[in-house]
Amino acid sequence: MLESFSQRLVSCLPPSCFLARWGGDEFTIIVPLDKDVSEVNKIADLIINNLKDPFFIEKYTVYVTCSMGIALYPSDGIDSKKLIKNADIALFRAKQMGKNNYQFYITKLSREQTLLFELENRLYDALKNQELFLNYQHQLDLKTNRISGVEVLLRWQHPNLGMVSPSKFIPLAEETGLIISIGKWVLETACLQAKKWHNLGHQNLIIAVNVSVKQFQQGDFVEEVKDILEKTKFNPEYLELEITESLLMQDVTRTEFIINELSNLGVKFSLDDFGTGYSSFGYLKKFPFHIIKIDQSFVSDLAINKQDQALVSAVITLAKGYNMMVVAEGVETENQKKLLKNLHCDLIQGWLVSKPLKEKDFLAFLNK
Ligand code: C2E
Ligand code: CA
Ligand code: CA
């Protein structure tokens, strides 16, 4: 793919240009200008147009998109370091504007763009600098009143920025591909942690780890999970992976393969944020889910909204028919809990039961 892509790029460039692969799927082009800047626009337009045609790689037809950032010498920098940095800032803006476009460097990013750009750059070092840690939020079994499982929630504490919300940095981690190394770290740390809890006498605790689409798309996700389970000596039966529908819609054959391979080992799967996407019944039939998690947006108005009640009730009935358990997310009030119990919801998770806790606090809670 990279080779074909480079060839396609070369075909768009005048012979005086210089093309290099910068790393991963990033390329750098140096364009000597004869006349004026419009030459650069022409090249960029040509590249975007040329990439509209698919690539044929072995038996696959592959469509790609690209984003370009442009910095000019000497106005945007007089050395390579500065030029590359500013091209990178322009690239960041191009990505933000959606795929398949290019942007020139401008000195002023909006406040929000500056913040995101800084976040992205700092995220590269977060793992190495040990700024990431995990929080744990358990699920309560409404029948037995016991803890059944615990969801692992990633946190990032930056020395200057303070706590950064997952809803901000996880999309960035996904976009940059960093989620692959971060996700691996989360899974391994969670297994090690849960193993400790099991050894301390909490043998039946299940840990639920969120997995992003990007992790599934990498070549060897199954191997990676197997390696981690072996390395940490963690029993796969106590590992649950939370995935969202958007993941199921990607590459159904591959996803099916991954879910089946890991399910055969005993790993469980839950369908996260159910109700927010297409909520296709086809997925429930096709994939062996263990748990459906009803999104908190349906739980929050449960007490006052009859339609939400009908919907939650229907999902619970449906899940029972498929032998799946149901978790209601974001339960904040006693009233919601009571309603969910009446509707025969199996498990609840939310601030009413507990906020996400640090490792130490969660252990203290478990012991109590
Ligand atoms: P999610 O998987 O839907 O996680 C539930 C979110 O709801 C968490 O937000 C949790 O703190 C919050 N929450 C729990 N109880 C309540 C409640 O009673 N009321 C309200 N309003 N909120 C509640 P958080 O921790 O900010 O995480 C946000 C999202 O980030 C998660 O949504 C998940 O999609 C993603 N995420 C978190 N950790 C990871 C991770 O390790 N890997 C990946 N790929 N995604 C993660
Ligand atoms: Ca989740
Ligand atoms: Ca969720």
Side-chain angles (χ1 to χ4, degrees):
M1 181 65 225
L2 286 169
E3 277 173 19
S4 314
F5 185 83
S6 323
Q7 279 155 14
R8 189 83 62 91
L9 279 183
V10 169
S11 73
C12 303
L13 301 177
S16 58
C17 290
F18 178 88
L19 170 71
R21 180 168 155 236
W22 192 244
D25 58 358
E26 277 191 26
F27 291 80
T28 304
I29 301 167
I30 302 174
V31 183
L33 293 179
D34 281 336
K35 296 190 290 288
D36 55 61
V37 182
S38 68
E39 287 174 61
V40 182
N41 292 62
K42 275 195 203 118
I43 294 174
D45 285 327
L46 193 65
I47 291 175
I48 287 177
N49 268 323
N50 266 285
L51 288 178
K52 285 191 182 138
D53 297 329
F55 289 88
F56 300 101
I57 312 282
E58 290 173 0
K59 59 183 195 296
Y60 303 99
T61 307
V62 184
Y63 289 88
V64 299
T65 56
C66 85
S67 313
M68 284 174 272
I70 301 164
L72 298 171
Y73 172 89
S75 53
D76 299 337
I78 52 162
D79 57 34
S80 55
K81 207 170 154 200
K82 186 88 183 158
L83 279 170
I84 287 165
K85 177 166 183 267
N86 288 343
D88 205 30
I89 292 177
L91 173 63
F92 177 80
R93 280 182 55 235
K95 282 188 194 160
Q96 276 203 311
M97 308 233 165
K99 306 281 164 163
N100 276 338
N101 80 97
Y102 58 90
Q103 294 292 322
F104 283 87
Y105 172 72
I106 47 169
T107 24
K108 258 198 147 21
L109 290 178
S110 72
R111 253 185 68 87
E112 196 200 357
Q113 284 173 332
T114 315
L115 192 73
L116 277 176
F117 183 69
E118 278 177 18
L119 271 190
E120 184 176 314
N121 279 332
R122 288 171 187 186
L123 193 56
Y124 279 97
D125 295 323
L127 195 55
K128 187 177 77 218
N129 293 346
Q130 300 186 311
E131 293 161 8
L132 300 177
F133 64 96
L134 303 179
N135 265 356
Y136 303 91
Q137 187 182 39
H138 64 271
Q139 295 158 356
L140 184 78
D141 187 322
L142 285 176
K143 265 196 222 83
T144 61
N145 227 17
R146 297 182 72 97
I147 299 175
S148 61
V150 57
E151 178 172 5
V152 176
L153 294 161
L154 180 60
R155 295 290 177 263
W156 178 20
Q157 167 100 47
H158 186 272
N160 306 328
L161 302 172
M163 287 292 286
V164 186
S165 156
S167 54
K168 281 227 174 66
F169 76 82
I170 285 175
L172 279 181
E174 286 178 336
E175 192 186 299
T176 50
L178 281 169
I179 195 71
I180 291 180
S181 49
I182 293 178
K184 191 172 167 189
W185 176 84
V186 171
L187 190 61
E188 184 166 340
T189 312
C191 287
L192 274 176
Q193 187 54 63
K195 178 85 189 166
K196 275 191 207 147
W197 291 330
H198 283 187
N199 289 342
L200 288 170
H202 307 285
Q203 298 96 336
N204 296 323
L205 192 71
I206 291 177
I207 47 156
V209 179
N210 291 290
V211 177
S212 112
V213 188
K214 277 270 162 80
Q215 288 172 274
F216 254 61
Q217 281 171 344
Q218 66 175 319
D220 53 356
F221 185 68
V222 172
E223 285 310 309
E224 187 181 298
V225 176
K226 280 186 186 166
D227 283 351
I228 290 176
L229 287 168
E230 243 163 65
K231 203 164 130 194
T232 57
K233 299 195 173 57
F234 190 67
N235 183 345
E237 307 263 341
Y238 293 100
L239 175 63
E240 182 184 310
L241 299 179
E242 297 198 357
I243 59 181
T244 56
E245 258 181 277
S246 52
L247 191 148
L248 302 175
M249 288 163 60
Q250 296 289 320
D251 178 346
V252 179
T253 325
R254 217 179 115 66
T255 305
E256 201 177 359
F257 169 79
I258 295 176
I259 295 184
N260 285 333
E261 283 284 296
L262 291 175
S263 293
N264 287 340
L265 291 180
V267 175
K268 299 180 173 64
F269 281 87
S270 55
L271 187 51
D272 205 355
D273 304 339
F274 191 75
T276 55
Y278 289 95
S279 308
S280 158
F281 294 161
Y283 298 138
L284 300 185
K285 199 174 140 113
K286 200 173 183 74
F287 301 105
F289 286 109
H290 186 73
I291 286 182
I292 295 180
K293 300 191 77 171
I294 301 181
D295 190 69
Q296 57 189 52
S297 56
F298 299 100
V299 175
S300 57
D301 291 341
L302 204 56
I304 47 169
N305 188 327
K306 284 265 181 293
Q307 271 114 12
D308 282 355
Q309 277 183 32
L311 204 134
V312 169
S313 166
V315 172
I316 292 170
T317 311
L318 189 80
K320 297 260 139 99
Y322 278 105
N323 254 330
M324 297 171 186
M325 306 253 277
V326 179
V327 180
E329 289 195 280
V331 179
E332 293 178 357
T333 66
E334 281 294 343
N335 208 355
Q336 291 165 349
K337 178 180 171 184
K338 209 174 85 200
L339 283 165
L340 287 161
K341 199 168 175 165
N342 289 341
L343 294 172
H344 304 289
C345 180
D346 302 293
L347 308 162
I348 58 169
Q349 182 183 342
W351 296 344
L352 179 70
V353 186
S354 167
K355 292 232 165 165
L357 299 175
K358 293 200 167 145
E359 176 201 336
K360 212 170 80 242
D361 298 329
F362 182 64
L363 180 63
F365 175 82
L366 266 182
N367 288 333
K368 200 168 93 192

